[in-house]
Amino acid sequence: MKIGIVGLGLIGGSLAHDLGRHHEITGVSRSSATVAEALSQGLIRQGGESLGLLGSCELVFVCTPIGLTLETIRALAAVLPPETILTDVASVKAAIVPAAEALWPNFVGGHPMAGGEAQGLSAARAGLFRGRPYVLTPTPRTPAAACTALEDLVGELGARLVRTDPETHDRAVARISHLPVFVGAALLLNLAASGDPTASTLASSGFFDTTRVGGGNPQLGAAMAEWNRAALLAELCSYRDHLGRLEQAIAAGDWQAVEQRLGECRKTRREVCEGGI
Amino acid sequence: MKIGIVGLGLIGGSLAHDLGRHHEITGVSRSSATVAEALSQGLIRQGGESLGLLGSCELVFVCTPIGLTLETIRALAAVLPPETILTDVASVKAAIVPAAEALWPNFVGGHPMAGGEAQGLSAARAGLFRGRPYVLTPTPRTPAAACTALEDLVGELGARLVRTDPETHDRAVARISHLPVFVGAALLLNLAASGDPTASTLASSGFFDTTRVGGGNPQLGAAMAEWNRAALLAELCSYRDHLGRLEQAIAAGDWQAVEQRLGECRKTRREVCEGGI
């Protein structure tokens, strides 16, 4: 299959690593140095800075930052034949999928849930998606053939296929991905504002783990908030309620209730880590 | 040196692992099976269920759960000669140290900041304290010789000695250890209450890390809240403010402010991980 990838960062580069073994990959990046690097590593068969290079591709992955996804699809619509399948990798879907479908009917929304702290082509690697969820969000308008083609590629990546609608996806990632960013961030802001050198000296693995995603890439965090604002605000609101109820139990000195709720937490985490509550 | 250890769990057992190489260790546990196991592993020279076995020890570590610390010290006071140095390992100090000093003037409060998800003697291991903070909280009443003796042992463990007063210790651990438990716990309660199977399916490393301590031992979490209640409530209050300000910036659509604050978070986390802000 002739596959195009726009954006050769962590996700686009890792797709090239895995799909390049059985497919012919054309890569497009805004950076000529990145294209040169991808060519020299043998990750792509050909590439450049122009979307026009993708005219003969049967399927194109749009792997730009979220904020450039729709304008990239708009630009691709001017150069691709209508049979080309387009898909994206943005971590939010409700604000992308309907607009993308309007620009390109042969579109399937996607979200491979993989990544890490490092960014860019240098962080890309083979096997990044293996065993990880790869969400597809087809709608009633999505052509069945496009969805099938993409499902086959998800299978080749060794990822776990999850199909859902854009709104369900966005609520879910607000709960388990976007909310934890802001919950952890507030722990860091609280520590910084305290100016407490002892706390900083004593901070250890518990604090580091709890704040890992909160102390991550600020552009990515802000983009999550911007593109998934309504779902994230709803989660922040319900989160505040749950934290407030724990706080009330502590203020009331009801240690039995505190222990009972923490017991529910342990149970929930074990169930989720084992794959589903 | 003749050293006694009351409570042969993760902390007490790990102390026996490290200190047993150069000292004669007597171990006391409420469980005869635990004593037998410690003897068979060669972790202790002698042991049993009675505190009376510790009468000839020069220094005794009280490694029981927090809630049993003071009653153990009270019971030890009836059987030890006054020159014996007592220390504890409880993760809160202000509610322990003055009361312990009243029961036993030759007392030094301590808190080795090490541990893990596993508990009990089977989780104990050599080197647990190496490179980790070991906080001592001497007061103006603490005998200098007792403090020096304990500092020498902290050095033998390879731990990083931190000296501070009980109140400063408790505020610091509220910020970086106890608050993260409840912050992570509320994320789990929020997910459980949603009943959202997609969220549970998509939860991955970011969610798992952020909730690791929140989904930990419920008895330990409740004990932290009970014994460090005032400091924890103060942190919950200021935490809520910081989270609320992030939420307001998101609600206002001020993405520049969101990104700027997340940038501060990344900077703070890097500084803390590198050892001090």
Side-chain angles (χ1 to χ4, degrees):
Chain A
M1 198 177 194
K2 290 187 170 189
I3 292 176
I5 298 175
V6 184
L8 297 169
L10 171 63
I11 300 296
S14 296
L15 286 171
H17 266 285
D18 285 350
L19 299 177
R21 284 178 297 164
H22 300 295
H23 303 279
E24 182 187 330
I25 312 286
T26 303
V28 171
S29 167
R30 288 173 295 174
S31 153
S32 58
T34 300
V35 172
E37 177 61 24
L39 283 167
S40 81
Q41 285 188 37
L43 289 178
I44 58 176
R45 188 81 64 88
Q46 57 268 315
E49 294 159 72
S50 165
L51 296 173
L53 293 166
L54 303 170
S56 65
C57 288
E58 295 154 79
L59 190 149
V60 174
F61 287 89
V62 177
C63 303
T64 64
I66 301 177
L68 300 176
T69 303
L70 287 174
E71 68 184 74
T72 301
I73 292 171
R74 190 175 293 113
L76 283 166
V79 298
L80 296 180
E83 60 270 21
T84 302
I85 299 163
L86 276 189
T87 187
D88 74 327
V89 298
S91 63
V92 298
K93 299 268 65 86
I96 299 278
V97 172
E101 284 178 339
L103 293 165
W104 195 257
N106 206 11
F107 175 85
V108 189
H111 177 204
M113 298 199 64
E117 278 165 90
Q119 298 166 258
L121 183 61
S122 59
R125 61 179 176 81
L128 182 70
F129 308 101
R130 198 172 297 136
R132 308 295 299 271
Y134 198 121
V135 189
L136 295 184
T137 59
T139 70
R141 295 173 58 184
T142 307
C147 199
T148 303
L150 206 54
E151 287 180 4
D152 288 347
L153 294 179
V154 168
E156 288 183 30
L157 295 169
R160 284 195 289 119
L161 178 70
V162 178
R163 280 177 74 145
T164 187
D165 61 278
E167 290 72 23
T168 302
H169 167 276
D170 283 7
R171 276 195 302 269
V173 295
R175 276 182 188 122
I176 54 86
S177 173
H178 301 172
L179 177 63
V181 168
F182 291 92
V183 159
L187 273 178
L188 289 161
L189 292 171
N190 184 58
L191 175 62
S194 75
D196 176 351
T198 305
S200 168
T201 299
L202 299 185
S204 186
S205 56
F207 189 79
F208 298 156
D209 281 0
T210 313
T211 59
R212 183 174 66 77
V213 295
N217 181 346
Q219 288 80 34
L220 187 59
M224 287 168 171
E226 180 173 356
W227 289 81
N228 202 15
R229 181 182 178 179
L232 176 59
L233 285 171
E235 291 309 308
L236 279 162
C237 183
S238 64
Y239 176 82
R240 219 186 319 111
D241 280 354
H242 290 288
L243 188 65
R245 269 180 264 167
L246 282 171
E247 194 176 345
Q248 279 163 23
I250 295 167
D254 187 349
W255 311 123
Q256 208 179 344
V258 171
E259 189 176 324
Q260 190 246 323
R261 278 181 208 160
L262 292 177
E264 291 165 25
C265 292
R266 179 159 69 172
K267 184 168 169 289
T268 297
R269 187 166 183 278
R270 284 180 177 171
E271 286 165 347
V272 173
C273 288
E274 285 160 12
I277 54 174
Chain B
M1 198 175 196
K2 289 187 171 189
I3 293 176
I5 298 176
V6 183
L8 297 168
L10 172 64
I11 299 296
S14 296
L15 286 171
H17 267 285
D18 284 351
L19 299 177
R21 283 178 299 164
H22 300 296
H23 304 279
E24 183 187 329
I25 311 286
T26 303
V28 172
S29 168
R30 289 173 294 174
S31 153
S32 59
T34 300
V35 172
E37 177 61 26
L39 283 166
S40 80
Q41 286 188 38
L43 288 178
I44 58 177
R45 188 81 64 90
Q46 57 268 317
E49 294 160 70
S50 163
L51 295 173
L53 294 166
L54 303 170
S56 66
C57 288
E58 296 155 79
L59 191 147
V60 175
F61 287 90
V62 178
C63 303
T64 64
I66 302 177
L68 299 176
T69 302
L70 288 174
E71 67 183 75
T72 302
I73 292 171
R74 189 175 294 113
L76 283 166
V79 298
L80 296 179
E83 60 271 21
T84 302
I85 299 163
L86 276 190
T87 188
D88 73 327
V89 298
S91 63
V92 300
K93 298 269 67 85
I96 299 277
V97 173
E101 284 178 340
L103 294 165
W104 195 257
N106 207 10
F107 175 85
V108 190
H111 177 204
M113 297 197 66
E117 277 164 88
Q119 299 167 258
L121 182 62
S122 58
R125 60 178 177 82
L128 182 70
F129 308 101
R130 197 171 299 136
R132 308 295 298 272
Y134 198 121
V135 188
L136 295 184
T137 58
T139 71
R141 294 173 60 184
T142 307
C147 198
T148 303
L150 205 54
E151 287 180 5
D152 288 347
L153 294 181
V154 169
E156 288 181 31
L157 295 170
R160 286 194 287 118
L161 178 69
V162 177
R163 279 177 74 141
T164 189
D165 61 277
E167 289 73 21
T168 302
H169 167 276
D170 283 7
R171 275 195 302 270
V173 295
R175 272 179 192 125
I176 54 86
S177 175
H178 302 172
L179 177 62
V181 168
F182 292 92
V183 159
L187 274 178
L188 289 161
L189 292 170
N190 183 59
L191 175 61
S194 76
D196 176 351
T198 305
S200 169
T201 300
L202 299 185
S204 185
S205 57
F207 189 79
F208 299 156
D209 281 1
T210 312
T211 59
R212 183 173 65 79
V213 295
N217 181 346
Q219 289 80 32
L220 187 59
M224 288 167 171
E226 181 172 355
W227 290 82
N228 201 15
R229 180 181 180 179
L232 176 59
L233 284 171
E235 292 309 308
L236 279 162
C237 182
S238 64
Y239 175 81
R240 219 184 323 108
D241 280 354
H242 289 289
L243 188 65
R245 271 180 261 166
L246 282 171
E247 194 176 347
Q248 280 163 24
I250 295 166
D254 187 349
W255 312 121
Q256 208 178 345
V258 172
E259 189 176 323
Q260 190 245 321
R261 278 181 209 159
L262 291 177
E264 290 166 25
C265 292
R266 178 158 71 173
K267 183 168 170 289
T268 297
R269 187 165 184 279
R270 284 180 177 171
E271 285 165 350
V272 173
C273 288
E274 286 159 13
I277 53 173

